[in-house]
Amino acid sequence: MLRLAAGLAALAMLLPGAMPAQAQTTGGTFSLPINDDPQIWPVAGGLYNILVNKVVYSGLVRYDLETLEPVGDLAESWEVSEDGLTYTFTLRDNVLWHDGEPFNADDVVFTINEIWTNEEVPYYLANNFRLIEEATRVNDFTVEVSLSQPQPSLPVLMGYNAAVLPEHLLSELTPEQLVNPTEFLQNPVGTGPFKFVEYSPGAYVQLARNEDYFDGVPHLDAMTFRIVPDANAQLALLQSGEVDLVVIEPFQLEAIENNPNVQIQSVPVNRHEFVAINNGVEALSDVNVRKALTMGLDRETLLQAVFAGRGTVATGPFTPAVGWAYDTSIEPLPYDPEAAAALLDEAGWVLGGDGIRAKDGVPLSFTLLYDPSNPTRARTALVAQQQWGALGIQIGFETSEYRAIVERIRQSPPDYELNPNYLIAPPDPDGIANYYLSDSLANSWAYNNPEVDALLNEGATTGDQAARAEIYKQVQAIMHEDQPNVFTVYPDEIQALSAAVERFPEAGYRDALGWAHLISKSQ
Amino acid sequence: MGRYAIRRILEATALILVITMATFALISSAPGGPSILLDPNMTPEDTERLRTLYGLDRPIHEQYFRWLWQVLQGNLGFSLGVGRPVAELIAGALPATLLLSGLALLVAVLVAVPLGIVAAVRRNSWIDRTLTTVSFFGLSLPVFWYGLMLIIIFAVILRWLPAGGMFTPGNGSPLDLLLHLILPVIALSTSLMAELVRYTRSAMIGVLRQDYVRTARAKGVAENVVITRHAFRTAMIPVVTLLGLLIPRLIGGAAVTETVFTWPGMGRLAVSAAFNQDFPTIMGITLVISVTVVLSNLIVDLLYAKLDPRVSYR
């Protein structure tokens, strides 16, 4: 009976997924490039790890392809206690590990207690689960998770690269061995739609269809992750039919747009682009100056020119991808150089004879720090320099390698003035909170607004979704006034797919790969 | 000869230590840190925790001596990027590089040396001028561009050859390997060939002017014997030296070719380790490459001595 219910649930989940009317083909190998050698070990971060891990392992939760709301993966359903402090997960009872062992509550309890929340194991997303006190087994297929404070974003965070690992293979390892479980990594075992076959370092990871996958047999026979560091080589492989998916930057579109062997799919993702402002710099601590920067930058043109028109103009750090919390009534500040100039005048920065604004003899001058190897950011920097220059703001450039930039903006106080950057966050507004709380180390913009702090903390612990939505809409209104950063674009993810692909779930590829059993290719 | 060799080995060891120290200091002074510590989703608190766990918060000299102590025990450590033993990564990558570079070198020598000789013998003829011009272009071609052109023509447009990789995943046949080798070998051997043609040519021209060659000719020795037996052997001395210098360059310097053709060798490994600031892997590769350089220099010196009796061991 339970199995029937699970089957029906699986079927129900498939139906609204906008499946094309034609029958899906069975078979074939789907191949996609990743930039570097992956670690098939979900404790370590890094994009290439995440992609492979999404297919080999399952989480308790994954995201609905349309709404990005959390839906069951290994968990069939969950309930939260009235005080918000206890989550009870009901697990699927039809799941087998790739080695044939049955999955049960012990695996979930082990993963939560010994990996996610274990201080000695360097799980890169440990912070997401800092409020978990303990997971306990109620019976074979029920787990209770107790929290020190209510955390309504918990199910969302559990769908964000939080894979469940096999207790029967890992429970004997010491925390030190769990950092690098060498033997396990020779043959990683998960519950995902594809099983590990072979890893050839520097070359590829080969996965085969998991015939016992709990959510239906995958359409494909196999998946291959090919390690291709060079972006041009990735496109060449796509054009020669050797890989099936390359996620491209807008500037690459031109090269393949008219190629009959390639189809383009653009999907909204929970990501935003912005020019980061160091609010700690004196001139930039003035809200009028920040507003002038936003109004003096033509974000619509930026969207067209730099992002190939694929996306929408941004209003803040919360994206429309999380529909329930996004305030559609907020319009982006208009591009209005005159109004921007007036704001600067008001702030005391007066245009001098040399075309540069100054106050008390100090010129209005900033350094824009960017990574020249990323054309999207580099072009943003050029456009910004031009348009802000026209307002009488002197913009100098400083270029640096991306990781050096990350290190500098993460310092306290941050070591930069302006920097084009982006963020991808879990699809819950709480995923953004950490970047704007005044006492958070991740607040690289030195933004400080006690009202926003209070609201973000309230939003993080309020149970009712409608009430949360209200709270986050207030945050958006305040941030719209504050303009802590120049929010530019919510860019779509541009997926270049080989013509043979019949279906690649329409979501950002991180989330889509959680549904890899639905990918299909014509033969 | 024995004492000479021992002295050279001691010198080499000291040199390798200096190289590793310098590399360690250089990597440590680079900004940023290993990319696993820079995941945008990771909070700064967790980054600090990991830094401590991997010992990256210790003073540089302490980190270096820890690394050296490990190496002396035969352990190159764990890659911070892949979470596999560095020795395993290098053991996987080295054969791929040796195969690609060895083949490229072989092709280059087989093609370039005879061409160089022809160019020298027919100096200033149309053959010579053509070869000089072609090798000039060969030397000037940037591999990242030339490699991509080869891929676009032979893999994307004509679809004759695979665009990259060493094997088709799941297929390990020698034919498959051979097909995957063709483009990267052409890309890598072209500039070698160009260099070797010019080098062989000038070495031969120098030798053909020598008195003993003139004497041999005057004695009525057949021209082909003069060229192959008398001149060629002497001309090969600088060419062998060049080959010796090319070997380490091939192993370390195939980086661009390997990256463009996604060849799973040492060059690609080095590039990705450098991008990830994966200290243990960078150090492991540095060690292997510096040992290779020093060893091949030693071998060249010994070969040199054998080819040219005038060289004495001091």
Side-chain angles (χ1 to χ4, degrees), chain A residues 36-37 39 46 48 119 122 124 127 160 180 199 202 206 226 228 233 239-240 242 261 403 407 410 424 434-435 441, chain B residues 32-33 35 38-44 46 49-50 81-84 159 163-164 169 262 268 272 275-277:
Chain A
D36 208 343
D37 280 298
Q39 213 170 339
Y48 28 91
E119 284 277 309
Y124 81 111
N127 187 58
Y160 197 73
N180 271 312
Y199 180 5
Q206 181 77 4
R226 288 187 58 168
V228 185
Q239 287 170 290
S240 68
E242 289 171 67
N261 300 322
R403 81 189 50 246
E407 198 180 43
R410 279 190 175 187
I424 299 173
N434 203 27
Y435 297 99
L441 289 173
Chain B
S35 54
L38 287 175
D39 190 289
N41 288 302
M42 198 152 84
T43 58
D46 283 330
R49 204 159 57 92
L50 283 192
V82 197
R84 289 186 170 229
R159 296 209 174 201
T262 61
R268 193 213 62 91
S272 88
F275 269 115
N276 290 327
Q277 290 195 21

Side-chain angles (χ1 to χ4, degrees), chain B residues 106-166:
Chain B
L106 186 73
V107 168
V109 169
L110 288 182
V111 175
V113 171
L115 287 179
I117 294 173
V118 170
V121 173
R122 303 266 171 86
R123 195 141 79 100
N124 294 329
S125 68
W126 66 269
I127 297 183
D128 183 27
R129 279 197 297 272
T130 313
L131 282 172
T132 310
T133 317
V134 170
S135 59
F136 172 75
F137 279 109
L139 269 177
S140 335
L141 282 178
V143 175
F144 60 87
W145 178 83
Y146 177 49
L148 269 176
M149 285 302 124
L150 289 175
I151 292 176
I152 288 172
I153 295 169
F154 294 102
V156 175
I157 298 176
L158 297 173
R159 296 209 174 201
W160 289 350
L161 293 165
M166 189 170 171

Side-chain angles (χ1 to χ4, degrees), chain A residues 35-39 44-50 118-128 160-161 179-180 182 185-186 196 198-204 206 224 226-230 232-233 235-242 259 261 401 403-404 406-407 410 422-426 434-435 440-442, chain B residues 30-51 53-54 78-85 88-89 92-93 144 148 151-152 155-157 159 161-171 180 258-265 268-269 271-277:
Chain A
N35 286 333
D36 208 343
D37 280 298
Q39 213 170 339
L47 177 60
Y48 28 91
N49 301 337
I50 293 169
N118 183 349
E119 284 277 309
E120 289 173 87
V121 177
Y123 176 45
Y124 81 111
L125 294 175
N127 187 58
N128 286 352
Y160 197 73
N161 312 330
V179 176
N180 271 312
T182 330
L185 290 184
Q186 303 290 335
F196 175 81
E198 190 196 357
Y199 180 5
S200 168
Y204 57 82
Q206 181 77 4
T224 307
R226 288 187 58 168
I227 297 145
V228 185
D230 185 78
N232 291 312
L235 276 190
L237 285 168
L238 177 74
Q239 287 170 290
S240 68
E242 289 171 67
N259 188 320
N261 300 322
E401 200 244 340
R403 81 189 50 246
V406 171
E407 198 180 43
R410 279 190 175 187
Y422 75 101
L423 275 179
I424 299 173
N434 203 27
Y435 297 99
S440 160
L441 289 173
Chain B
S35 54
I36 48 160
L37 299 184
L38 287 175
D39 190 289
N41 288 302
M42 198 152 84
T43 58
E45 295 91 334
D46 283 330
T47 311
E48 278 320 302
R49 204 159 57 92
L50 283 192
R51 218 179 268 285
L53 190 115
Y54 291 124
F78 267 97
S79 153
L80 288 182
V82 197
R84 289 186 170 229
E88 189 188 306
L89 292 179
F144 60 87
L148 269 176
I151 292 176
I152 288 172
V156 175
I157 298 176
R159 296 209 174 201
L161 293 165
M166 189 170 171
F167 289 107
T168 310
N171 179 347
H180 281 86
E258 290 185 0
T259 304
V260 170
F261 290 96
T262 61
W263 190 263
R268 193 213 62 91
L269 186 64
V271 170
S272 88
F275 269 115
N276 290 327
Q277 290 195 21

Side-chain angles (χ1 to χ4, degrees), chain A residues 416-464:
Chain A
Y416 75 102
E417 292 179 334
L418 297 168
N419 159 245
N421 213 322
Y422 75 101
L423 275 179
I424 299 173
D428 184 281
D430 192 34
I432 273 299
N434 203 27
Y435 297 99
Y436 287 92
L437 285 169
S438 58
D439 61 351
S440 160
L441 289 173
N443 181 343
S444 304
W445 0 102
Y447 176 60
N448 184 345
N449 185 332
E451 213 184 334
V452 169
D453 285 349
L455 286 167
L456 287 177
N457 286 326
E458 197 188 332
T461 52
T462 302
D464 177 50

Side-chain angles (χ1 to χ4, degrees), chain B residues 212-285:
Chain B
Y212 76 93
V213 174
R214 203 174 305 143
T215 312
R217 279 186 180 139
K219 277 163 62 184
V221 178
E223 183 65 15
N224 61 342
V225 178
V226 171
I227 291 165
T228 51
R229 201 168 302 161
H230 293 75
F232 178 66
R233 199 183 144 167
T234 319
M236 275 303 98
I237 296 171
V239 175
V240 168
T241 316
L242 177 71
L243 286 180
L245 293 174
L246 283 178
I247 289 167
R249 204 183 86 189
L250 269 172
I251 292 187
V256 180
T257 313
E258 290 185 0
T259 304
V260 170
F261 290 96
T262 61
W263 190 263
M266 293 285 281
R268 193 213 62 91
L269 186 64
V271 170
S272 88
F275 269 115
N276 290 327
Q277 290 195 21
D278 179 351
F279 297 62
T281 310
I282 297 176
M283 291 309 294
I285 294 171

Side-chain angles (χ1 to χ4, degrees), chain A residues 29 51 104 110 184 208 249 278 328 463 472 475:
Chain A
T29 298
L51 298 174
N104 63 37
F110 165 78
F184 178 76
E249 292 276 330
N278 182 351
T328 48
Y472 288 116
V475 173

